[in-house]
Amino acid sequence: MNQRLAWYVVIILHAMLWGCTTHLDQITNFHIEGRVVDRESDAALQEAKVLFIDTGFDYVRSSNFAAEEVGQSSQGGVLNISFDYFWGWEKSFFWADPKKTFTLKIDHQGYEPLGLDLRAGDFQSVGNEVRVNVGVVTLRKNVQALPVR
């Protein structure tokens, strides 16, 4: 009898520990500030695309590394972009909290794209808003190699 009761307790505890995961949905509002310029001439680059790549928020999308365009630089190369990012994660006794990492990819035609690997915890945040100041981002012109004869 005691052995049977012990097995029931073990099974119930096992089910509680492994089965007690909770899915949580979150919204993080990102505000990206900065400026995009040409590396050689320091000229402002207008219409540089900014792409967001989740590398540590959503437990599914962070493994896909899919880029999502969130905005472009305006006149003067100014970045002043706000967007909401909806993500989810599984909270459990055994799983760690999400790393909240992401990559901002800055891309402009005729220039080499630049990826900035960032962590939300490194920036000022109030509530669910994260203010990301990337400063001055310099892009290098895409130099095409000439064929060798």
Side-chain angles (χ1 to χ4, degrees):
M1 178 80 170
N2 285 340
Q3 192 174 25
R4 178 181 259 171
L5 181 62
W7 276 110
Y8 284 129
V9 170
V10 167
I11 290 171
I12 290 171
L13 284 175
H14 185 267
M16 286 174 52
L17 288 175
W18 286 104
C20 291
T21 60
T22 305
H23 179 82
L24 299 172
D25 289 321
Q26 304 282 325
I27 300 173
T28 300
N29 177 266
F30 285 92
H31 184 79
I32 301 168
E33 302 169 327
R35 192 163 172 259
V36 183
V37 298
D38 179 282
R39 176 180 271 176
E40 295 172 11
S41 68
D42 206 33
L45 296 176
Q46 185 175 332
E47 298 180 357
K49 294 179 185 179
V50 178
L51 298 109
F52 178 86
I53 303 168
D54 181 345
T55 61
F57 277 88
D58 188 275
Y59 69 102
V60 174
R61 289 191 280 176
S62 64
S63 61
N64 295 336
F65 300 106
E68 175 183 343
E69 185 176 340
V70 294
Q72 295 183 351
S73 60
S74 62
Q75 187 173 1
V78 174
L79 294 174
N80 188 15
I81 301 167
S82 289
F83 67 97
D84 290 328
Y85 185 64
F86 297 85
W87 56 282
W89 62 291
E90 300 289 331
K91 184 173 185 169
S92 168
F93 179 75
F94 295 101
W95 295 340
D97 289 349
K99 298 179 292 183
K100 296 185 179 178
T101 57
F102 59 99
T103 298
L104 289 179
K105 184 177 175 183
I106 316 295
D107 195 8
H108 192 282
Q109 186 175 2
Y111 289 83
E112 294 178 7
L114 177 67
L116 304 171
D117 296 325
L118 305 168
R119 192 172 65 103
D122 293 340
F123 298 97
Q124 177 186 3
S125 63
V126 176
N128 68 336
E129 180 182 52
V130 178
R131 299 188 70 79
V132 180
N133 188 337
V134 295
V136 178
V137 177
T138 57
L139 296 182
R140 182 174 34 192
K141 287 188 179 171
N142 193 1
V143 179
Q144 302 251 341
L146 296 174
V148 178
R149 292 186 176 192

